[in-house]
Amino acid sequence: MRPNDRKADQVRPIKITRNYTAYAEGSVLVEFGNTKVLCNATVEENVPRWLKGQGKGWVTAEYGMLPRSTHSRMRREAANGKQGGRTMEIQRLIARSLRAVVDLEVMGEIMVTVDCDVIQADGGTRTASISGASVAMADAFQHLIDNGKLKKNPMKGHVAAVSVGLLGQDVLCDLEYVEDSAADTDMNVVMTEDGRMIEVQGTAEGEPFSHEELLSLLESAKKGITEIVAAQKAALEN
Amino acid sequence: MRPNDRKADQVRPIKITRNYTAYAEGSVLVEFGNTKVLCNATVEENVPRWLKGQGKGWVTAEYGMLPRSTHSRMRREAANGKQGGRTMEIQRLIARSLRAVVDLEVMGEIMVTVDCDVIQADGGTRTASISGASVAMADAFQHLIDNGKLKKNPMKGHVAAVSVGLLGQDVLCDLEYVEDSAADTDMNVVMTEDGRMIEVQGTAEGEPFSHEELLSLLESAKKGITEIVAAQKAALEN
Amino acid sequence: MRPNDRKADQVRPIKITRNYTAYAEGSVLVEFGNTKVLCNATVEENVPRWLKGQGKGWVTAEYGMLPRSTHSRMRREAANGKQGGRTMEIQRLIARSLRAVVDLEVMGEIMVTVDCDVIQADGGTRTASISGASVAMADAFQHLIDNGKLKKNPMKGHVAAVSVGLLGQDVLCDLEYVEDSAADTDMNVVMTEDGRMIEVQGTAEGEPFSHEELLSLLESAKKGITEIVAAQKAALEN
Amino acid sequence: MRPNDRKADQVRPIKITRNYTAYAEGSVLVEFGNTKVLCNATVEENVPRWLKGQGKGWVTAEYGMLPRSTHSRMRREAANGKQGGRTMEIQRLIARSLRAVVDLEVMGEIMVTVDCDVIQADGGTRTASISGASVAMADAFQHLIDNGKLKKNPMKGHVAAVSVGLLGQDVLCDLEYVEDSAADTDMNVVMTEDGRMIEVQGTAEGEPFSHEELLSLLESAKKGITEIVAAQKAALEN
Amino acid sequence: MRPNDRKADQVRPIKITRNYTAYAEGSVLVEFGNTKVLCNATVEENVPRWLKGQGKGWVTAEYGMLPRSTHSRMRREAANGKQGGRTMEIQRLIARSLRAVVDLEVMGEIMVTVDCDVIQADGGTRTASISGASVAMADAFQHLIDNGKLKKNPMKGHVAAVSVGLLGQDVLCDLEYVEDSAADTDMNVVMTEDGRMIEVQGTAEGEPFSHEELLSLLESAKKGITEIVAAQKAALEN
Amino acid sequence: MRPNDRKADQVRPIKITRNYTAYAEGSVLVEFGNTKVLCNATVEENVPRWLKGQGKGWVTAEYGMLPRSTHSRMRREAANGKQGGRTMEIQRLIARSLRAVVDLEVMGEIMVTVDCDVIQADGGTRTASISGASVAMADAFQHLIDNGKLKKNPMKGHVAAVSVGLLGQDVLCDLEYVEDSAADTDMNVVMTEDGRMIEVQGTAEGEPFSHEELLSLLESAKKGITEIVAAQKAALEN
């Protein structure tokens, strides 16, 4: 039995709060159960040097965890003097996922940076980050349209992500921390709203997994992402 | 006239939310108007190496700003590979202020670290941090008492802080960002609840200030801190 | 048509040279066409601090590229003062892949570090690294058995990896650099010799990919990995 | 009784040696008793990038301690790979203090950097640095006038600083190291030559301090600074 | 008696393999017995900023050791976050040695960087690096001539280097690791092909050395370098 | 003609001031003409970890230049976040030179660190550092003997150093900055007081140098060092 009587294929309660802070062009607090991530999208009217003069935009992301977002305190990366490998992996993943649903040519020479800062971590922070960042980015583009800086919305659709895992024989959707720690296989799936895949990252922590298990994991992820996309759309309609 | 029709000696609306996150032994979101800081106190049952074996405790603090807590995005310090001078100055100030109201001998060999992370910045983040951290630390000590780890509360009283400034001829209390940028002199005052001083840091940004001006600033600070201490006590009584 | 008239599902010529350098307990030069990686396995009779006293071993990996392993010179990471995000991602992947085929309890308190240094890069350096590192690790364990340090071989089987990709409608196996740059989707697959999966990392660089495309990619990867495992076994029999 | 029979309000013997080194545009060795700081002012005919094209100058400062300026050897910051928080705090304070007496518009696009390097430390290194740097900066501006680079002197007057402290009931002026370590409250005061304040930084190390104690500390500081300004003027008249 | 019955003045078997990797403009694997260094010369058509617009070229070098090039594994400098002092010393020496035989004016605004990466280390890696880098640089210049980028070869001749040492009474040429560790004095000599000196670096590890001993060491070095230059010329004639 | 009518083989006026600062166990200001270096020797009663328990001592050195010791200001290495290659080269040279005249077994488990900080630089800072550090170290050992911490002096004699150079046809001793910049060959020679060599580092900046030129340089160095040793002895007799 899962915590809070969740069913195997059930995602945690999702809450998406827009305009969470006052200054960012898009600001979203996304909650998947106890996992809470603040996603702030910043618009800047210049692009990285290597892209200048090509008439194209860029989307990037940064990720961080507050030191006490976790059960025991983690060292602050700024005090360590560098971002860890896990942080870099995650922020590269978020950025790739966002770019996959954006037409960079339509953007023109504009850069959007989405900062995903984990306020509270109970598993699935990278997938919550992607799901929240998609909404924050949508608000940032709408801001540009409202201000006459963009004529057409460069977003081709939503992007959402979920983690799924194998715990013994069970395929579980949207793992929370205790499940994630115990899982044999953990898979992060990033999809567009039409159900196609942007990223699939499956890792066997214990035993390797079979082709059939992979198919079950993907099926569970697809179902979960459908619910997340619905929550994204509902949030944007408010 | 100040924004929102504030009077010269009036502090902004203060809101102190305890148990803001789930895992820290003390977790406080403190708001002074639009300035919002999350103060998480962590208890660890060991002390820094240089203090081991002396039977005394330690209180320290770290400070950070989320990249988009400000009007335009700041670079993430973890990505820069170091904490800036301003960050270090502030976290040293917070830690000294907290230690001034704690009996380290009563603590025993326990360490409390308070992380002050700025969610939204509209001036006065260091003084809000101190004022919120005092409450978070109080909750952390209560947690230790409730769990039988401490017999006596090592806190000797509350500590609170406010910024005051000279804008032309006016002495203003609890500066918000637009005031802070325009002020000729800016002073941060940290006091105990009985009105004695822990830190006084006054800086002339424009013209040097006179002895009389200093006295007016201190008087304004004292009045403001009285209100902040009242808010701290009210929060802890809930 | 692929370079050198390769078929879509054909891996490049594989060459595995054991004992390539003189001092490492396992030293393998692995070549996939023009991609050449030196994999040196080092045995140390102590484990990281967090593992001490548990009677278990550890396997880790580091990855680097010589500055001129690529078409244009890359800056040396040691001169940059840090390892990039891509490097950290890859070395974490290699290490997880190797640990998936090792029984850490059988190892006892021994650490194996495999350094994968790319001499020449023509695509697929991470998958070549995993495939070569598996052989270098096997030699290191044999060295420990020959010297009476281990009674039983802790390796549960070989691990091998290949990259597959979608280029237009075509599913290509073992991408070389020009193909990798042009591919819409790129997937790295790590498998055990019995065909189960350790890691699957698929990324859409252009259009998202469908479920059917994913299945085709996995099928191609499995066929390629069968050939790589055969080459690993042949190399170890010499 | 203070060391060397000093009276409570007496500053240590002050010695200001100009032209201490040969190449800097202003070079001053300042001695307050056993505290010795070398203050070298460098003139450069360009300003930081963020100031370019505004027709204004800039004054900045750096601070360092020789490893064996202290009783026991401190680690060299260059070997540590970063400047500590205390160093950054101090050099920011020196720079702000100097800028408070300079008309940046009169300077034109010129930058003055004052390096304050502590040769021997016996308390009060930051206040000695400010007091010496003021003279070094005056020499640098004179150098610019003598060379026809400046028509008008941009310095509006001298700036000097002293530390004062509470030791039990006593208010002591110009603390030396043993006094500083024992003091309950330590206050650094930076003033212009006309007695107005630029910075006031008071810190309770032990008990918080009262309003009356603050007033006594300020009075003592003002008396001390009068003597330091006299020494600055005498040095410049030689 | 030396290992492998070498005579005191005999250099180890030298092997110089050109075009060792595929992309560098000059790529040489140089072997002195068990010491193996890969020297890759890169041509870039721009020069460091401080040299721009002067019509002159530049030659620089970087040096690194693979972690397991040595008997026990060294930490990777990229993981350490900095290059060690020994590395910096060596790469500066290689670069100076190469520049000594190049007419930078003839080069024009072109930069050649030679990366010397030690695959296997058995003493004399810096002198092997210089000797191999000279050949790699020659190939890079020939590449520029063949492509019409240079009309005249800027190399004035070969540069080669050898280490010599005093072991008790014996003067040994081309020390291998066990000899180097035991030597009282170790000297690295860099010469042009006409026998003049570019660098002489002699260090007494044990007893200081006399003038006569210095002369014997230089004589032995000169003889060794003659053989190395012959090997360089033979390699370039193939 | 050399500046100040110096003869080719004449060293600059040497001044050695002992007890220059108050806290170091040995503190020497050494001046060679306008070159001024402060050499502070620190005694610590423990040794680096890798030497513990062997009953032997250690001597090490650090080197730094004050930012405005030179004609134009250099960036502070602490602000840069690392020591440059030249700094590391020099401090390793100083340390090796000092250890060459110390019997580490006689020292027992004691460490001496000599900090050489350049106050003013006019060429020859590394050789002045060695020459001054030898005297500071002698004072530190005498301090240990006076305090009963050592029974026997571990110093086997003095060590001194000088730079010599070829300027056109002339062999010049003790180069000052303008000569050093113009020299074709620059050689640093470190000798014991009995005239044997510890280090010889000759570098051709322009044309390679011949065997005869090397001999002339060494002869000039030997004469200069004789004078420096005499100055060291005179200083220690005061």
Side-chain angles (χ1 to χ4, degrees):
Chain A
M1 199 49 121
R2 303 182 75 180
N4 300 311
D5 293 330
R6 259 212 287 165
K7 291 186 198 134
D9 64 355
Q10 192 182 351
V11 299
R12 289 175 285 181
I14 302 170
K15 195 168 157 194
I16 295 176
T17 309
R18 289 164 62 208
N19 303 317
Y20 188 75
T21 63
Y23 309 128
E25 284 73 31
S27 179
V28 165
L29 182 76
V30 62
E31 303 175 58
F32 277 70
N34 282 323
T35 289
K36 303 183 186 191
V37 184
L38 175 52
C39 306
N40 280 337
T42 293
V43 169
E44 287 164 305
E45 293 186 38
N46 61 4
V47 287
R49 201 179 321 180
W50 53 269
L51 199 61
K52 278 195 205 302
Q54 301 182 31
K56 292 167 61 178
W58 192 243
V59 176
T60 187
E62 293 195 6
Y63 171 92
M65 297 181 84
L66 294 193
R68 197 56 199 282
S69 57
T70 43
H71 280 80
S72 57
R73 185 176 183 272
M74 297 187 318
R75 285 203 61 187
R76 190 177 287 268
E77 288 189 324
N80 275 349
K82 62 174 178 180
Q83 296 179 298
R86 179 185 169 276
T87 292
M88 291 216 233
E89 238 177 82
I90 292 175
Q91 65 193 15
R92 286 157 57 94
L93 169 65
I94 299 170
R96 280 198 310 272
S97 299
L98 295 175
R99 283 195 297 271
V101 293
V102 173
D103 186 328
L104 300 174
E105 312 242 344
V106 171
M107 276 181 83
E109 297 215 353
I110 277 174
M111 182 159 81
V112 171
T113 303
V114 187
D115 287 289
C116 298
D117 285 278
V118 179
I119 305 293
Q120 197 169 282
D122 188 27
T125 63
R126 80 187 71 188
T127 49
S129 293
I130 292 167
S131 304
S134 182
V135 178
M137 182 170 71
D139 275 340
F141 283 131
Q142 190 59 48
H143 173 94
L144 284 163
I145 290 168
D146 293 348
N147 287 278
K149 298 278 172 61
L150 273 184
K151 291 198 177 133
K152 190 182 153 192
N153 195 326
M155 261 182 94
K156 297 180 279 187
H158 292 289
V159 54
V162 77
S163 76
V164 286
L166 274 173
L167 194 68
Q169 305 297 321
D170 298 323
V171 172
L172 303 182
C173 187
D174 186 24
L175 305 179
E176 53 199 81
Y177 179 71
V178 289
E179 296 171 334
D180 190 47
S181 309
D184 296 305
T185 290
D186 174 23
M187 179 175 286
N188 293 297
V189 180
V190 185
M191 282 184 176
T192 53
E193 58 175 295
D194 62 4
R196 287 182 299 157
M197 285 169 271
I198 292 170
E199 287 265 349
V200 174
Q201 297 193 341
T203 301
E205 303 287 349
E207 278 297 288
F209 53 95
S210 67
H211 189 70
E212 292 67 37
E213 287 169 329
L214 174 70
L215 295 182
S216 305
L217 288 164
L218 285 173
E219 191 186 338
S220 178
K222 187 162 191 176
K223 180 173 173 305
I225 284 173
T226 305
E227 289 181 49
I228 298 166
V229 171
Q232 291 174 323
K233 290 187 172 174
L236 282 164
E237 275 158 23
N238 286 342
Chain B
M1 197 48 117
R2 306 182 74 180
N4 300 311
D5 293 329
R6 258 211 290 165
K7 293 188 196 132
D9 64 353
Q10 191 182 352
V11 300
R12 289 174 284 181
I14 302 169
K15 194 167 158 197
I16 295 176
T17 308
R18 289 163 64 209
N19 303 316
Y20 188 75
T21 63
Y23 309 128
E25 284 74 30
S27 178
V28 165
L29 182 77
V30 62
E31 301 174 60
F32 278 69
N34 280 324
T35 288
K36 303 183 186 192
V37 185
L38 175 52
C39 306
N40 280 336
T42 294
V43 170
E44 286 165 305
E45 294 186 38
N46 60 6
V47 287
R49 204 179 318 179
W50 52 268
L51 199 62
K52 277 196 207 302
Q54 300 182 33
K56 293 166 60 178
W58 193 242
V59 176
T60 188
E62 294 194 5
Y63 171 92
M65 297 182 84
L66 294 194
R68 196 56 199 282
S69 56
T70 43
H71 280 80
S72 57
R73 186 176 182 272
M74 299 186 317
R75 283 204 60 189
R76 191 176 286 267
E77 289 189 322
N80 274 349
K82 64 174 175 179
Q83 295 178 299
R86 178 184 170 277
T87 293
M88 291 214 234
E89 238 177 82
I90 292 176
Q91 63 193 15
R92 285 156 57 94
L93 169 64
I94 299 169
R96 280 199 310 272
S97 300
L98 296 175
R99 283 196 298 271
V101 294
V102 172
D103 186 329
L104 299 174
E105 312 242 343
V106 171
M107 276 181 83
E109 297 213 353
I110 276 173
M111 183 158 82
V112 171
T113 303
V114 187
D115 287 288
C116 298
D117 285 278
V118 179
I119 304 293
Q120 197 168 281
D122 188 27
T125 62
R126 79 187 73 188
T127 49
S129 293
I130 292 167
S131 303
S134 182
V135 179
M137 182 170 70
D139 275 340
F141 284 132
Q142 191 58 48
H143 174 93
L144 284 163
I145 290 168
D146 293 348
N147 287 278
K149 297 278 172 64
L150 273 183
K151 290 200 177 130
K152 191 182 153 190
N153 195 326
M155 262 182 95
K156 296 182 279 187
H158 290 290
V159 54
V162 80
S163 76
V164 287
L166 276 172
L167 195 69
Q169 305 297 323
D170 298 321
V171 172
L172 302 182
C173 188
D174 187 24
L175 306 179
E176 53 199 80
Y177 180 72
V178 289
E179 297 171 334
D180 189 48
S181 309
D184 297 305
T185 290
D186 174 23
M187 180 175 288
N188 293 296
V189 181
V190 185
M191 282 185 175
T192 53
E193 58 174 293
D194 62 5
R196 287 182 299 157
M197 285 169 271
I198 292 170
E199 289 265 349
V200 174
Q201 297 194 341
T203 302
E205 303 287 350
E207 277 296 286
F209 53 95
S210 68
H211 190 70
E212 291 66 37
E213 288 169 328
L214 173 70
L215 295 181
S216 305
L217 287 165
L218 284 173
E219 191 186 338
S220 178
K222 186 163 189 175
K223 181 172 172 305
I225 284 174
T226 306
E227 289 180 49
I228 299 166
V229 170
Q232 291 175 321
K233 289 188 174 173
L236 282 163
E237 273 158 24
N238 286 340
Chain C
M1 197 51 116
R2 306 182 73 180
N4 299 310
D5 294 329
R6 258 211 289 163
K7 292 185 198 136
D9 63 353
Q10 192 182 352
V11 300
R12 289 174 285 182
I14 302 169
K15 194 168 158 196
I16 295 176
T17 309
R18 289 163 64 208
N19 303 316
Y20 188 75
T21 64
Y23 309 129
E25 284 74 29
S27 178
V28 164
L29 182 76
V30 62
E31 302 174 59
F32 278 68
N34 280 325
T35 289
K36 303 183 185 191
V37 185
L38 175 52
C39 306
N40 279 337
T42 294
V43 170
E44 286 164 306
E45 293 187 36
N46 61 3
V47 287
R49 204 180 319 179
W50 52 269
L51 200 62
K52 277 197 206 302
Q54 300 182 31
K56 292 166 62 179
W58 192 242
V59 176
T60 187
E62 294 194 4
Y63 171 92
M65 296 182 86
L66 294 193
R68 197 56 199 283
S69 57
T70 43
H71 280 80
S72 56
R73 187 177 181 271
M74 298 187 318
R75 285 205 60 189
R76 190 176 288 266
E77 290 190 323
N80 274 348
K82 63 174 177 179
Q83 295 179 299
R86 178 183 170 276
T87 293
M88 291 216 235
E89 237 177 82
I90 293 175
Q91 64 193 15
R92 287 157 55 95
L93 169 65
I94 300 170
R96 279 199 309 272
S97 300
L98 295 175
R99 283 196 297 272
V101 294
V102 173
D103 186 328
L104 300 173
E105 312 242 345
V106 170
M107 276 182 82
E109 297 214 353
I110 276 174
M111 182 158 82
V112 171
T113 303
V114 187
D115 287 288
C116 299
D117 285 278
V118 178
I119 303 295
Q120 197 169 281
D122 188 27
T125 63
R126 79 187 71 188
T127 49
S129 292
I130 292 167
S131 303
S134 182
V135 178
M137 182 170 72
D139 275 339
F141 284 132
Q142 190 60 47
H143 173 94
L144 283 162
I145 290 168
D146 294 347
N147 287 278
K149 297 279 170 65
L150 273 183
K151 291 201 176 130
K152 191 183 153 189
N153 195 327
M155 263 183 93
K156 297 181 280 188
H158 291 290
V159 54
V162 79
S163 76
V164 288
L166 275 172
L167 195 68
Q169 305 297 322
D170 298 322
V171 172
L172 303 182
C173 189
D174 186 24
L175 305 179
E176 53 199 78
Y177 179 71
V178 290
E179 297 171 333
D180 190 46
S181 309
D184 297 304
T185 290
D186 175 22
M187 179 176 286
N188 293 296
V189 180
V190 185
M191 283 185 175
T192 53
E193 58 175 294
D194 62 6
R196 287 182 300 157
M197 286 169 269
I198 291 171
E199 290 265 350
V200 173
Q201 297 193 342
T203 302
E205 304 287 349
E207 278 295 287
F209 53 94
S210 68
H211 190 71
E212 291 66 37
E213 288 169 328
L214 174 70
L215 295 182
S216 304
L217 288 164
L218 285 174
E219 190 185 339
S220 178
K222 186 162 190 175
K223 181 174 172 304
I225 285 174
T226 305
E227 288 181 48
I228 299 166
V229 170
Q232 291 175 321
K233 290 188 173 175
L236 282 164
E237 273 160 23
N238 288 341
Chain D
M1 199 49 119
R2 304 182 75 179
N4 300 311
D5 293 330
R6 259 211 287 163
K7 291 188 198 133
D9 63 356
Q10 191 182 351
V11 300
R12 289 174 286 181
I14 302 169
K15 195 169 159 194
I16 296 175
T17 308
R18 288 163 64 208
N19 304 317
Y20 188 75
T21 63
Y23 309 128
E25 284 74 29
S27 178
V28 165
L29 182 76
V30 62
E31 302 175 58
F32 278 69
N34 281 324
T35 289
K36 304 183 185 190
V37 184
L38 175 52
C39 306
N40 280 336
T42 294
V43 170
E44 286 164 306
E45 293 185 39
N46 61 5
V47 288
R49 203 179 319 178
W50 53 268
L51 199 61
K52 278 196 205 301
Q54 301 182 31
K56 293 166 60 179
W58 192 243
V59 176
T60 188
E62 293 195 7
Y63 171 92
M65 299 181 84
L66 294 193
R68 197 56 199 282
S69 57
T70 44
H71 280 80
S72 58
R73 185 176 183 272
M74 297 187 318
R75 285 204 60 187
R76 189 177 287 268
E77 288 189 324
N80 274 349
K82 62 173 177 181
Q83 295 179 299
R86 178 184 170 276
T87 293
M88 290 215 233
E89 237 177 83
I90 293 175
Q91 64 193 15
R92 284 156 59 94
L93 170 65
I94 299 169
R96 279 198 310 271
S97 300
L98 296 174
R99 284 195 297 270
V101 294
V102 172
D103 186 329
L104 300 174
E105 312 243 344
V106 171
M107 276 181 83
E109 297 215 353
I110 276 174
M111 182 158 82
V112 172
T113 303
V114 188
D115 286 289
C116 298
D117 285 279
V118 179
I119 305 295
Q120 198 169 281
D122 189 26
T125 61
R126 79 186 73 187
T127 50
S129 293
I130 292 167
S131 304
S134 182
V135 179
M137 182 170 71
D139 276 340
F141 283 131
Q142 191 57 50
H143 174 93
L144 283 163
I145 290 167
D146 294 347
N147 287 278
K149 298 278 171 64
L150 274 183
K151 292 201 175 129
K152 190 182 153 192
N153 195 327
M155 262 183 93
K156 297 180 280 188
H158 291 291
V159 54
V162 78
S163 76
V164 287
L166 275 172
L167 195 68
Q169 303 297 322
D170 298 322
V171 172
L172 302 182
C173 188
D174 185 25
L175 305 179
E176 53 199 79
Y177 179 71
V178 290
E179 297 172 333
D180 189 47
S181 308
D184 295 307
T185 290
D186 174 23
M187 180 175 285
N188 293 297
V189 181
V190 185
M191 283 184 175
T192 53
E193 58 174 296
D194 62 5
R196 287 181 301 155
M197 284 169 271
I198 291 171
E199 288 265 349
V200 173
Q201 296 193 341
T203 302
E205 303 287 349
E207 277 297 287
F209 54 95
S210 68
H211 190 70
E212 292 66 37
E213 288 169 328
L214 174 71
L215 295 182
S216 306
L217 288 164
L218 284 174
E219 191 187 338
S220 178
K222 186 162 191 177
K223 181 174 174 304
I225 284 173
T226 306
E227 289 181 48
I228 298 166
V229 170
Q232 290 175 323
K233 291 188 172 172
L236 282 164
E237 274 158 24
N238 286 340
Chain E
M1 199 47 120
R2 305 182 74 180
N4 299 311
D5 293 329
R6 258 211 288 164
K7 292 185 198 136
D9 64 354
Q10 192 182 352
V11 300
R12 289 174 285 180
I14 302 170
K15 194 169 159 194
I16 295 176
T17 309
R18 289 164 64 208
N19 303 317
Y20 188 74
T21 63
Y23 310 129
E25 284 74 30
S27 178
V28 164
L29 182 77
V30 62
E31 302 176 59
F32 277 70
N34 281 324
T35 288
K36 302 183 186 191
V37 185
L38 175 52
C39 306
N40 280 337
T42 294
V43 169
E44 287 164 306
E45 292 186 40
N46 61 4
V47 288
R49 203 177 321 177
W50 54 267
L51 199 61
K52 277 196 206 302
Q54 300 182 32
K56 292 166 59 178
W58 191 243
V59 176
T60 188
E62 293 194 7
Y63 172 91
M65 296 181 85
L66 294 193
R68 197 56 199 283
S69 57
T70 43
H71 281 79
S72 57
R73 187 177 181 271
M74 297 186 318
R75 283 205 61 188
R76 189 177 288 265
E77 288 188 324
N80 274 349
K82 63 174 178 180
Q83 295 179 298
R86 179 184 170 276
T87 293
M88 291 214 234
E89 237 178 84
I90 292 176
Q91 64 192 15
R92 285 156 58 93
L93 169 65
I94 299 170
R96 280 199 309 272
S97 300
L98 295 175
R99 284 195 297 271
V101 293
V102 173
D103 186 328
L104 299 174
E105 313 243 343
V106 171
M107 275 181 83
E109 297 214 354
I110 277 174
M111 181 158 82
V112 171
T113 303
V114 187
D115 287 288
C116 298
D117 285 277
V118 178
I119 304 294
Q120 197 169 283
D122 189 26
T125 63
R126 80 187 70 188
T127 49
S129 293
I130 293 167
S131 304
S134 182
V135 179
M137 183 170 70
D139 275 339
F141 283 132
Q142 191 57 49
H143 173 93
L144 284 162
I145 290 169
D146 293 347
N147 287 279
K149 298 279 171 63
L150 273 183
K151 290 200 178 132
K152 190 183 153 192
N153 195 327
M155 263 183 94
K156 297 182 279 187
H158 291 290
V159 54
V162 79
S163 76
V164 288
L166 275 172
L167 195 70
Q169 304 298 320
D170 298 322
V171 172
L172 303 182
C173 189
D174 185 24
L175 305 179
E176 54 198 79
Y177 179 71
V178 290
E179 296 172 335
D180 189 47
S181 309
D184 296 306
T185 290
D186 174 23
M187 180 175 285
N188 292 297
V189 180
V190 185
M191 283 185 175
T192 53
E193 59 175 294
D194 62 5
R196 287 182 300 157
M197 286 169 270
I198 292 171
E199 289 265 350
V200 173
Q201 297 193 341
T203 302
E205 303 287 350
E207 278 296 287
F209 54 94
S210 68
H211 190 70
E212 292 67 36
E213 288 169 329
L214 174 70
L215 295 182
S216 305
L217 288 164
L218 284 172
E219 190 186 339
S220 177
K222 186 161 191 175
K223 182 174 172 303
I225 284 172
T226 306
E227 289 181 47
I228 298 166
V229 171
Q232 291 175 322
K233 291 187 172 176
L236 282 163
E237 274 159 23
N238 287 339
Chain F
M1 197 50 116
R2 306 182 74 179
N4 301 310
D5 293 330
R6 257 210 289 163
K7 291 187 198 133
D9 65 353
Q10 192 182 349
V11 300
R12 289 174 284 182
I14 302 170
K15 194 167 157 196
I16 296 175
T17 309
R18 288 163 64 209
N19 303 317
Y20 187 74
T21 63
Y23 310 128
E25 284 74 30
S27 178
V28 165
L29 182 76
V30 63
E31 303 175 58
F32 277 69
N34 281 324
T35 288
K36 303 183 186 192
V37 185
L38 175 52
C39 306
N40 280 336
T42 294
V43 169
E44 286 164 305
E45 293 186 38
N46 61 5
V47 287
R49 201 180 319 180
W50 53 269
L51 200 62
K52 277 196 205 302
Q54 301 182 32
K56 292 167 60 178
W58 191 243
V59 176
T60 187
E62 293 194 7
Y63 171 92
M65 297 182 85
L66 294 193
R68 197 57 199 282
S69 57
T70 44
H71 281 80
S72 57
R73 185 176 183 271
M74 298 187 317
R75 283 205 60 188
R76 191 177 286 267
E77 289 189 324
N80 274 348
K82 62 175 178 178
Q83 296 178 298
R86 179 185 170 276
T87 293
M88 290 215 234
E89 237 178 84
I90 292 176
Q91 64 193 14
R92 285 156 58 94
L93 170 65
I94 299 169
R96 279 199 310 271
S97 299
L98 295 174
R99 283 196 296 271
V101 294
V102 173
D103 185 329
L104 300 173
E105 312 243 342
V106 171
M107 277 181 82
E109 297 215 352
I110 276 173
M111 182 157 83
V112 171
T113 303
V114 187
D115 287 288
C116 298
D117 284 278
V118 178
I119 304 294
Q120 197 170 281
D122 188 26
T125 63
R126 79 187 72 188
T127 50
S129 293
I130 292 167
S131 302
S134 182
V135 179
M137 183 171 71
D139 275 340
F141 283 131
Q142 191 58 49
H143 173 93
L144 283 163
I145 291 168
D146 293 347
N147 286 278
K149 297 278 171 62
L150 273 184
K151 291 200 176 132
K152 192 182 152 190
N153 194 325
M155 262 182 94
K156 297 181 278 187
H158 290 290
V159 54
V162 79
S163 75
V164 288
L166 275 172
L167 196 68
Q169 305 297 322
D170 299 320
V171 172
L172 302 181
C173 188
D174 186 24
L175 305 179
E176 53 198 80
Y177 179 72
V178 290
E179 297 172 333
D180 190 47
S181 309
D184 296 306
T185 290
D186 175 23
M187 180 176 285
N188 293 295
V189 180
V190 185
M191 281 184 176
T192 53
E193 59 175 292
D194 62 5
R196 287 181 300 157
M197 287 169 269
I198 292 171
E199 288 265 350
V200 174
Q201 297 193 340
T203 302
E205 304 285 350
E207 277 297 286
F209 53 95
S210 68
H211 191 69
E212 291 66 38
E213 289 169 327
L214 174 70
L215 294 181
S216 305
L217 288 164
L218 284 172
E219 190 185 339
S220 177
K222 187 163 190 175
K223 181 174 171 306
I225 284 173
T226 305
E227 290 181 48
I228 298 165
V229 170
Q232 291 174 322
K233 290 187 172 173
L236 282 163
E237 272 158 25
N238 287 342

